[in-house]
Amino acid sequence: MKTKTLSIHGLHNKKYSGNKELTPPINQTATFYFNSINDAEQTFNCENDQYVYSRGRNPNLEELEDKITLLEEGAFAVSFSSGMGAIATLLMSLLKSGDSLLSHNVVYGSSHNFIANILPEYGIKTEMMDLRKLDPEMVNGYKVIYLETPANPTLDIIDIRKLRELIGEDTYIIVDNTFATPILQQPLLIGADFVIHSATKYIGGHGDAIGGLVVGKDKDFENTLRFGYMCEFGTAMAPFNAWLFNRGLKTLEYRMKGHCQNAMAIANYLEGHNKISKVYYPGLPSFDGYMVAKEQMKKFGGMISFELIDGIRGMGSDEERAVVFVDNLKLFKIAVSLGDTESLVEIPAKMTHRGLDIKPSLIRLAIGLEDAEDLIDDIEQALETI
Ligand SMILES: *Cc1c(COP(=O)(O)O)cnc(C)c1O
């Protein structure tokens, strides 16, 4: 079946509701009872698949896990309390003291902090490198390679196929697919071992719940990740959040189409504007990663970053002008997060990406589902103020 159908039905032959509810009820329960001790013992021996406790499995989470597994064409998925819960738990499950990890030098701020500062406290060696330039001498010998493509917030594109060809099979490749979603890119099919999502973003799509997902392609690893780590770390997703993510998924493909269409129009507008020096959008032929993005993605996503030109009317530094511009936007709300129906704007160096080497004047837009003309009008009036 195709992605629109899968994101609505999941496994079509599996019941997600006991009483023929079209929308499965929220299984708002901490625990599940057994008919007998014998029954319970069989479950604990893994001889049947009854639910036990919502920190390990819950029907709402399972519906979400089935759907994301199908959409990413993986073998299993595990839900988490947040994207960071997914990232921290997966990395701790794969890496032991003495192991080493290589990460792209631009990733989400908290992911960067976890990799650069927390993992080394446990004896795990971590290094950052620009993975857009793939040098076989430099990328070999790691247990895990971690990346986002497109990367937050510079939209760097990394060639997953080429990376896999260079490093062989004994290194795990983890791709944070939050920006692309499985609608635009399926990393497991081109060499990744694990995909991560901040479900908070496009999967939820409405900015009303925090959650994360890991999708893997080796079914044998599911029990280790789920019961060996997630369940013991307690990074489980809440049933109500899973219910919201299941609802969000139903319209994911239509929403992604809208985000991509709006973003393309706005990127073209920005690129043609005389107050803007550089636009970072994978769908622009002038962008560094355009050729790889065209190969590896179906469309180019809803995230754009850009910089203003130097020395407009002598109005202070780049950084100060970026602040004036952002403060003067009306429709775009100043907020972290992305993937919502509302368009959002932020300055990563001052907000999400403190501590990374990101230009202080870089402005990041998360393009929403409003009319592109209204968004462009808003940008236009804010550009007139600088
Ligand atoms: C937001 C985000 C995360 C973290 O997800 P949370 O759900 O906020 O914990 C991880 N990676 C990327 C690319 C993100 O944008």
Side-chain angles (χ1 to χ4, degrees):
M1 277 189 290
K2 301 277 202 291
T3 45
K4 279 180 197 147
T5 316
L6 293 174
S7 59
I8 294 169
H9 290 278
L11 289 168
H12 72 287
N13 55 355
K14 182 165 163 183
K15 287 195 193 76
Y16 294 111
S17 50
N19 296 309
K20 299 196 163 85
E21 302 93 344
L22 183 63
T23 303
I26 304 167
N27 291 273
Q28 192 66 43
T29 184
T31 196
F32 299 82
Y33 66 85
F34 296 95
N35 288 330
S36 64
I37 285 291
N38 184 41
D39 206 18
E41 231 183 335
Q42 280 183 1
T43 305
F44 278 82
N45 288 337
C46 302
E47 289 159 18
N48 65 48
D49 65 351
Q50 285 189 64
Y51 298 102
V52 177
Y53 192 54
S54 288
R55 203 180 69 233
R57 287 170 62 228
N58 173 287
N60 296 106
L61 276 63
E62 207 151 275
E63 181 184 352
L64 177 64
E65 289 161 359
D66 285 348
K67 286 179 177 174
I68 196 70
T69 302
L70 291 163
L71 291 171
E72 290 284 7
E73 299 191 51
F76 75 92
V78 178
S79 320
F80 292 86
S81 51
S82 67
M84 283 316 301
I87 292 163
T89 308
L90 178 63
L91 288 178
M92 294 300 265
S93 76
L94 293 174
L95 292 158
K96 309 291 159 241
S97 174
D99 287 340
S100 60
L101 171 147
L102 175 65
S103 156
H104 182 53
N105 55 3
V106 178
V107 290
Y108 178 67
S110 293
S111 307
H112 178 269
N113 192 30
F114 189 78
I115 289 168
N117 301 318
I118 297 178
L119 286 177
E121 293 178 348
Y122 295 88
I124 296 155
K125 205 170 141 220
T126 64
E127 284 173 50
M128 320 267 156
M129 202 179 285
D130 185 348
L131 292 178
R132 290 173 301 176
K133 311 183 202 74
L134 286 173
D135 178 347
E137 305 270 300
M138 308 290 279
V139 295
N140 267 294
Y142 296 91
K143 178 95 177 272
V144 171
I145 296 187
Y146 185 90
L147 60 101
E148 299 168 4
T149 178
N152 188 354
T154 49
L155 288 307
D156 291 354
I157 301 291
I158 292 144
D159 191 333
I160 302 169
R161 255 189 213 96
K162 196 160 147 210
L163 178 63
R164 172 52 77 197
E165 278 166 22
L166 285 181
I167 62 167
E169 292 302 317
D170 32 332
T171 299
Y172 296 112
I173 298 178
I174 303 177
V175 176
D176 181 333
N177 204 27
T178 299
F179 272 30
T181 81
I183 302 303
L184 307 183
Q185 171 175 282
Q186 292 171 289
L188 298 179
L189 302 186
I190 51 174
D193 299 285
F194 296 97
V195 156
I196 282 171
H197 287 284
S198 168
T200 315
K201 315 293 170 53
Y202 290 106
I203 289 174
H206 296 75
D208 49 15
I210 301 268
L213 293 159
V214 169
V215 192
K217 71 176 176 197
D218 176 10
K219 181 81 180 158
D220 289 344
F221 192 67
E222 175 174 357
N223 273 349
T224 305
L225 182 61
R226 181 185 299 281
F227 297 115
Y229 287 87
M230 183 277 283
C231 213
E232 312 304 48
F233 283 10
T235 41
M237 183 184 283
F240 180 50
N241 286 25
W243 187 88
L244 288 170
F245 294 132
N246 281 314
R247 183 169 71 165
L249 267 183
K250 294 184 191 195
T251 54
L252 180 64
E253 188 156 344
Y254 288 97
R255 287 186 289 104
M256 289 317 290
K257 241 179 224 171
H259 287 293
C260 291
Q261 212 171 359
N262 276 356
M264 195 70 234
I266 291 163
N268 279 323
Y269 160 81
L270 292 170
E271 189 168 48
H273 200 288
N274 62 8
K275 284 184 182 169
I276 285 160
S277 63
K278 183 159 182 193
V279 183
Y280 301 72
Y281 185 66
L284 292 174
S286 61
F287 184 66
D288 215 23
Y290 174 71
M291 292 310 287
V292 179
K294 235 176 94 160
E295 186 65 31
Q296 136 177 317
M297 302 175 75
K298 295 195 182 83
K299 289 194 186 79
F300 304 104
M303 298 299 295
I304 306 173
S305 292
F306 67 96
E307 289 165 41
L308 301 166
I309 57 163
D310 289 339
I312 308 170
R313 280 191 234 140
M315 263 187 69
S317 68
D318 298 11
E319 196 177 330
E320 286 160 352
R321 280 196 309 278
V323 170
V324 173
F325 166 80
V326 170
D327 281 346
N328 277 299
L329 285 165
K330 294 189 168 70
L331 259 179
F332 283 83
K333 297 280 184 295
I334 302 170
V336 303
S337 205
L338 56 111
D340 300 334
T341 53
E342 290 82 359
S343 289
L344 305 176
V345 61
E346 69 138 346
I347 296 185
K350 292 185 188 296
M351 298 166 69
T352 48
H353 288 73
R354 282 163 171 264
L356 271 91
D357 188 20
I358 301 289
K359 280 192 184 164
S361 58
L362 189 82
I363 298 163
R364 189 191 82 176
L365 303 176
I367 305 300
L369 296 177
E370 303 94 335
D371 195 291
E373 259 183 59
D374 293 328
L375 295 173
I376 289 172
D377 286 349
D378 191 31
I379 296 169
E380 180 75 35
Q381 66 78 27
L383 282 171
E384 278 164 18
T385 66
I386 57 167

